[in-house]
Each structure stands twice: as structure tokens, then as C-alpha cells.
Amino acid sequence: MAETLWVEVVAADRVVWEGDAVSVVARTTEGDIGILAHHEPMIAPLVPGVAEVTTADGRREIIAVEGGFLSMTLTRCAIIAPFARLAHEVSLPEAEAELRDAQRRLDEGDISDETMRHYNRASAQIKALERRS
């Protein structure tokens, strides 16, 4: 049996997921990274996208994350993001509507942090749903 590590995915408003896992895959500013137990300790900035946790019992948890960072010690991995949501919690119609609205604002020249946040959040949720299927 593979060694496990404790994983916590925390958003600004709640703990999204926590538990024992055999691996974590997330996208950093340098590219995708895979984490196993006893990985070298590190902190890495995340880009908006999808994190995937393979649990100790073999399930896959797909999580939309809006940037943030990943922190790793020998036996603990934390993903801290302003926004994170499990794929099964995502509403596709709501995410698509948020993406359309953000894209419209971008097309009109609104490149504010708020518009970019909405665009990244909606894109991450849609990617999480696609990965889940």
C-alpha cells in the first residue's frame, strides 16, 4: 500500500476538502507538479485551474482553484486559495454564465482585478467539471 500524506484544501471561506491521500497534482506557475508522501518541503504559487487529489481509498477528488499556493512538508500538503470548490459542487450553468459575463466585460476593455478573478474562477470550475467526466 502506498504511503499517504494529509491533504487540506482551504478556501477563504471554508475547508473544502481534507483527508489522507496518496497523491496531489496541481498547476504551479512553473507547470504541473505531482506530490507524494515525503516530497521535498516547498511552497509554490498556483495558477487558476484544477487540483486533483487521489485519496487513500483510490477515489479522485477534482477541485477548482483560483490561484493561491501549495505548501508541502514531509507528510502534509496544503492548498490555500481565495476560492476553491469540489467539482461535484459546481453548477455548470452558473459557471458558464459567470464566464460569459466576465468575457463580455473583458471584450469591452474591463481588465480590472475583479473581472479577471471572475474569469479565472469560472474557467477553473468548468475545467474541473470537464476533468471529472
Side-chain angles (χ1 to χ4, degrees), residues 40-129:
E40 181 176 329
M42 61 174 284
I43 295 177
L46 298 174
V47 297
V50 177
E52 184 173 322
V53 177
T54 302
T55 66
D57 62 1
R59 288 179 296 111
R60 285 183 336 141
E61 293 291 346
I62 307 298
I63 306 159
V65 295
E66 181 194 341
F69 67 93
L70 179 145
S71 171
M72 180 64 197
T73 66
L74 289 178
T75 58
R76 293 179 74 90
C77 178
I79 293 176
I80 312 295
F83 173 89
R85 182 169 288 159
L86 293 164
H88 70 266
E89 298 173 338
V90 173
S91 162
L92 182 58
E94 289 176 17
E96 288 175 333
E98 184 176 8
L99 184 62
R100 278 191 308 274
D101 182 57
Q103 185 64 60
R104 179 190 50 77
R105 289 187 289 171
L106 286 170
D107 292 344
E108 293 170 354
D110 178 358
I111 57 170
S112 66
D113 288 344
E114 179 182 350
T115 297
M116 290 307 301
R117 196 169 36 254
H118 283 281
Y119 182 86
N120 290 333
R121 180 179 299 169
S123 295
Q125 291 180 85
I126 291 168
K127 287 177 190 172
L129 285 172

